[in-house]
Amino acid sequence: GRKYAEPVQVYRGPFQRDRDRIIHTAAYRRLSHKTQVFTNELGDYHRNRLTHTLEVCSIARTIARALRLNEDLVEAMALMHDIGHPPFGHSGEDVLDVCLADDGGFSHNRHALRIVEVLEQRYPDFPGLNLSMETLEGQQFRAAKKDALVSPSLEAQVVDAADSIAYDSHDADDALELGLLDLSQLKEVSIWNTAVKKVSEGRDLSPVLLRRAVAHELIDVQVQDLLENTVVKIERSQLQSAEQVKSQQPIVGHSDQMMHEKDDLESFLMQNVYRHPSVIRVRDSAQAALRSLFKLLKTKPHLLPDNYARRSEEIGLQRTIGDYIAGMTDRFAWREHARLLEN
């Protein structure tokens, strides 16, 4: 069901409606100009928050079809999963979390719920998007994560797994394209080496084709492992209903061996990509800009747009500033910083 009752549509199922509502939001469109890992000033090839979302959606739908789960629900959850990200990705999230420490902090997963339940004003009969409880449940799990008392639906578990598969595979690809890594550095990563051997067997591939073939292979091997391991768990659990899933430990997941290899790759990416001097330099300047912007708006709230100024009277100034900044794209944040602080 939905918080606000609506007539059933004969040509669209409830989760198709959720998907369409998410796609038509301003917050979803803005993802095309929000950082995934690397900002636009480093180049044009790499993923942004929107292309990452589409790749997660593609992987998640493939897994859902193989497991005979609800593909429409999985798609809606996947398209929504990163909609709450502020400018500059996790760097921007860290700044807002500190700035809003006295007001509950900031989490992009919680903010996604805030967007679809409160902030997007697109319908005259209710606030937000009035999404189905099932779609909201997936994001509520992401927001609670370690504090969750029950497991989410299998569809929500699939989206979470697809997110991990996507960024493990694509962040290395982007870093290689940008020249932050070279292929020789990845020889110490087991899952990468295994993929290299498989795709290059009997062939002499150029570095570019090798890199792209490996990225595809990394996705394939992770999806296959996930499906094999999950099918065994589903059969062993003898699941009879969606409600029964909630009482189980998470079922959708990789084998222990694959998790070890993924952890190895993620540790490598943390040390050599996410903490690369070029990434850190851009991150630091972006964080400084957001901190300055938040401070200025807090001391001079009259600089807020009129609709945000009115909202601040209802929910408080700090959270309003957080909402305003979180909704910015990277380029708009830089532009506002220049306009308000540098002039």
Side-chain angles (χ1 to χ4, degrees):
R2 302 176 189 274
K3 184 175 180 179
Y4 303 95
E6 295 184 60
V8 173
Q9 287 186 334
V10 296
Y11 62 92
R12 278 192 307 178
F15 308 132
Q16 288 176 289
R17 294 179 79 178
D18 288 353
R19 175 203 62 198
D20 294 346
R21 288 180 179 187
I22 292 163
I23 287 174
H24 286 90
T25 60
Y28 180 80
R29 291 194 297 276
R30 291 184 187 123
L31 294 178
S32 63
H33 293 286
K34 292 194 178 189
T35 295
Q36 171 62 17
V37 175
F38 311 106
T39 58
N40 286 340
E41 63 186 77
L42 292 175
D44 297 322
Y45 172 87
H46 56 271
R47 278 85 180 167
N48 56 46
R49 192 60 64 176
L50 179 60
T51 56
H52 165 72
T53 294
L54 294 173
E55 288 167 343
V56 170
C57 188
S58 173
I59 295 169
R61 283 206 69 141
T62 296
I63 296 170
R65 181 169 298 184
L67 294 175
R68 289 182 287 178
L69 301 178
N70 192 307
E71 292 180 51
D72 291 334
L73 176 55
V74 162
E75 185 175 24
M77 288 178 178
L79 292 172
M80 178 184 172
H81 89 279
D82 266 355
I83 204 170
H85 263 286
F88 312 118
H90 291 290
S91 299
E93 181 173 21
D94 291 343
V95 169
L96 288 179
D97 192 38
V98 173
C99 290
L100 293 168
D102 297 333
D103 197 20
F106 182 90
S107 156
H108 77 272
N109 285 316
R110 292 199 308 269
H111 192 66
L113 290 168
R114 186 166 168 75
I115 287 171
V116 300
E117 293 182 297
V118 179
L119 297 180
E120 283 281 346
Q121 297 289 327
R122 311 191 72 80
Y123 301 94
D125 298 326
F126 47 77
L129 306 183
N130 198 31
L131 300 180
S132 68
M133 298 301 180
E134 291 85 352
T135 298
L136 291 175
E137 179 193 48
Q139 193 63 30
Q140 287 162 354
F141 165 71
R142 293 180 66 86
K145 223 51 181 243
K146 295 177 182 178
D147 298 325
L149 300 178
V150 296
S151 292
S153 64
L154 293 177
E155 285 83 359
Q157 294 180 42
V158 163
V159 172
D160 208 41
D163 188 23
S164 172
I165 290 170
Y167 63 67
D168 276 356
S169 306
H170 293 145
D171 289 355
D173 178 44
D174 285 349
L176 287 165
E177 172 68 23
L178 292 170
L180 304 181
L181 287 178
D182 61 61
L183 288 169
S184 63
Q185 289 176 271
L186 282 154
K187 289 180 179 178
E188 62 187 81
V189 181
S190 173
I191 191 173
W192 183 274
N193 273 333
T194 301
V196 168
K197 290 175 183 177
K198 183 172 181 180
V199 302
S200 60
E201 187 176 2
R203 294 183 290 185
D204 183 21
L205 300 177
S206 69
V208 172
L209 277 179
L210 176 64
R211 186 189 82 224
R212 292 174 180 172
V214 169
H216 298 154
E217 177 63 20
L218 286 178
I219 294 173
D220 187 44
V221 71
Q222 289 179 82
V223 169
Q224 287 194 52
D225 176 87
L226 182 89
L227 290 173
E228 291 169 5
N229 192 59
T230 300
V231 166
V232 169
K233 285 186 175 182
I234 289 175
E235 291 175 348
R236 188 184 300 148
S237 301
Q238 296 184 317
L239 297 175
Q240 300 298 317
S241 69
E243 282 301 311
Q244 192 180 342
V245 174
K246 296 181 179 181
S247 64
Q248 309 273 337
Q249 289 294 314
I251 291 171
V252 177
H254 294 284
S255 66
D256 290 343
Q257 176 61 31
M258 180 56 68
M259 284 305 302
H260 175 75
E261 293 188 7
K262 282 171 64 66
D263 288 344
D264 184 37
L265 173 59
E266 289 170 8
S267 295
F268 174 86
L269 293 172
M270 178 60 70
Q271 293 298 323
N272 296 279
V273 177
Y274 309 141
R275 294 177 178 167
H276 191 282
S278 296
V279 175
I280 294 294
R281 184 168 57 252
V282 174
R283 184 200 70 185
D284 288 349
S285 62
Q287 288 187 319
L290 290 188
R291 279 193 293 268
S292 299
L293 197 53
F294 193 100
K295 183 178 179 180
L296 177 69
L297 291 171
K298 190 174 177 180
T299 55
K300 298 181 179 180
H302 63 277
L303 295 175
L304 284 166
D306 290 344
N307 57 325
Y308 282 93
R310 289 192 296 272
R311 188 186 303 164
S312 69
E313 297 174 2
E314 300 175 12
I315 66 170
L317 180 59
Q318 287 208 147
R319 182 56 62 181
T320 300
I321 296 171
D323 289 344
Y324 180 52
I325 292 178
M328 294 179 178
T329 61
D330 293 7
R331 62 185 182 183
F332 184 74
W334 282 123
R335 193 158 65 238
E336 280 297 271
H337 179 265
R339 183 177 72 85
L340 297 177
L341 284 106
E342 295 179 5
N343 294 334

